[in-house]
């Protein structure tokens, strides 16, 4: 029996594998990677590597074994049919008879287009009959703290979210929840709504950046159309820019405030405060 993590060298996947290594022997972990070289450091620590690609269904043949617990980390190739990609993994897991398939989804409250692939994947997973756990991850601090350069350059946080609030958490927090499900018992056929303990607004985010940098950084709310134009001007493909700007519309409606407490309950600790993530990003 293995704990199998897809997308294991991605941002979230690496956190998951690192935290799994603290809980189970390395030989019980299988990291699914597209590029074996990127997983070399994990292999050196005793983690098994399996090379497979969501776009090549046959690469998942015989990858899983009966009794495995699998974490399907959602793909990030928005232009390649993510539901089809995810179905490849679900079908292979069903054929193998895995004990649990956990999927990193989106909050049930999120109506933005970004959530469409997640809802459709959930339907495929539930229809498969596999024991499942839906990890409906909220927004990540890093969605903002990893993109501070333009904010610091212009002295402004530019979003189309009005006074909306977000209960984000760190990638490490969401990874810890996944690890708790993969290493614990009794998580079959569960749905967890995951988000940070405290919600914040972009005005508060700008104020925290000002406090940490000693500079005057303001929140500059714009329309969804204006934000879409800014994102495409920064080089994002127009469809992706529209999807991301659409998330801000959902934020303004309060759809990314997750108040279930599931994340801190699963991890057994408070979630990482935004201020801590900002401080770490500015140091880095």
């Amino acid at each position: 029996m293995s704990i199998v993590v897809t997308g294991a060298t991605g941002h979230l996947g690496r956190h998951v594998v690192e935290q799994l290594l603290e809980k189970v022997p390395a030989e019980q972990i299988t990291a699914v990677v597209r590029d074996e070289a990127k997983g070399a450091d994990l292999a050196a620590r005793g983690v098994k590597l399996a090379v497979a690609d969501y776009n090549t269904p046959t690469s998942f043949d015989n990858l899983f074994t009966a009794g495995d617990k699998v974490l399907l980390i959602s793909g990030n190739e928005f232009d390649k049919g993510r539901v089809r990609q995810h179905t490849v993994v679900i079908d292979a897991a069903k054929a193998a008879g895995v004990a649990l398939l956990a999927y990193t989804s989106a909050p049930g409250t999120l109506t933005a287009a970004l959530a469409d692939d997640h809802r459709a994947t959930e339907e495929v997973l539930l229809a498969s009959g596999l024991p499942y756990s839906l990890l409906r991850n909220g927004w990540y601090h890093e969605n903002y703290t990893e993109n501070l350069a333009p904010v610091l350059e212009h002295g402004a946080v530019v979003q189309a979210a009005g006074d909306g609030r977000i209960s984000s958490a760190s990638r490490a927090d969401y990874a810890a929840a996944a690890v708790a499900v993969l290493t614990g018992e009794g998580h079959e056929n569960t749905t967890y709504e995951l988000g940070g303990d405290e919600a914040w607004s972009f005005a508060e985010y700008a104020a925290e950046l000002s406090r940490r940098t000693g500079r005057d950084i303001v929140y500059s709310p714009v329309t969804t159309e204006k934000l879409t134009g800014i994102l495409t001007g920064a080089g994002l493909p127009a469809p992706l820019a529209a999807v991301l700007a659409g998330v801000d519309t959902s934020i303004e409606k309060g759809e990314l405030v997750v108040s279930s407490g599931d994340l801190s309950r699963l991890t057994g600790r408070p979630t990482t405060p935004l201020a801590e993530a900002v401080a770490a990003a500015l140091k880095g």
Side-chain angles (χ1 to χ4, degrees), residues 207-259:
E208 182 63 26
L209 285 168
S210 299
R211 189 172 75 82
R212 295 279 179 179
T213 61
R215 296 169 50 191
D216 186 21
I217 295 174
V218 299
Y219 170 42
S220 177
V222 296
T223 63
T224 306
E225 293 73 22
K226 179 74 180 288
L227 181 60
T228 303
I230 291 170
L231 293 173
T232 53
L236 284 184
L240 179 57
V243 166
L244 293 179
V247 171
D248 273 23
T249 301
S250 285
I251 291 171
E252 187 169 21
K253 295 176 185 173
E255 293 178 5
L256 277 176
V257 174
V258 179
S259 55

Side-chain angles (χ1 to χ4, degrees), residues 171-192:
R171 283 198 191 104
D173 291 334
Y174 292 110
V179 168
V181 166
L182 293 167
T183 60
E185 299 297 331
H187 297 289
E188 294 80 8
N189 305 329
T190 53
T191 299
Y192 296 109

Side-chain angles (χ1 to χ4, degrees), residues 74-112:
S74 55
N76 59 5
E77 296 176 315
F78 294 90
D79 58 335
K80 291 192 177 177
R82 293 199 297 168
V83 180
R84 178 186 55 76
Q85 292 179 329
H86 299 158
T87 300
V88 165
V89 181
I90 293 167
D91 286 349
K94 181 178 180 180
V98 305
L100 179 74
L101 191 145
Y103 171 65
T104 60
S105 191
T109 50
L110 186 64
T111 63

Side-chain angles (χ1 to χ4, degrees), residues 111-204:
T111 63
L114 182 72
D116 292 348
D117 287 350
H118 292 299
R119 295 289 91 83
T121 299
E122 289 183 4
E123 289 178 11
V124 172
L125 178 52
L126 268 61
S128 75
L130 280 169
Y132 68 87
S133 183
L134 301 180
L135 304 176
R136 288 179 167 170
N137 288 355
W139 225 220
Y140 300 170
H141 293 329
E142 290 89 346
N143 290 344
Y144 304 106
T145 60
E146 286 184 350
N147 298 289
L148 285 177
V151 173
L152 299 176
E153 180 184 348
H154 299 290
V157 173
V158 180
Q159 301 287 156
D163 296 326
R165 303 181 75 77
I166 310 167
S167 53
S168 61
S170 70
R171 283 198 191 104
D173 291 334
Y174 292 110
V179 168
V181 166
L182 293 167
T183 60
E185 299 297 331
H187 297 289
E188 294 80 8
N189 305 329
T190 53
T191 299
Y192 296 109
E193 298 286 349
L194 304 175
D197 294 336
E198 294 182 15
W200 51 272
S201 68
F202 283 109
E204 292 167 347

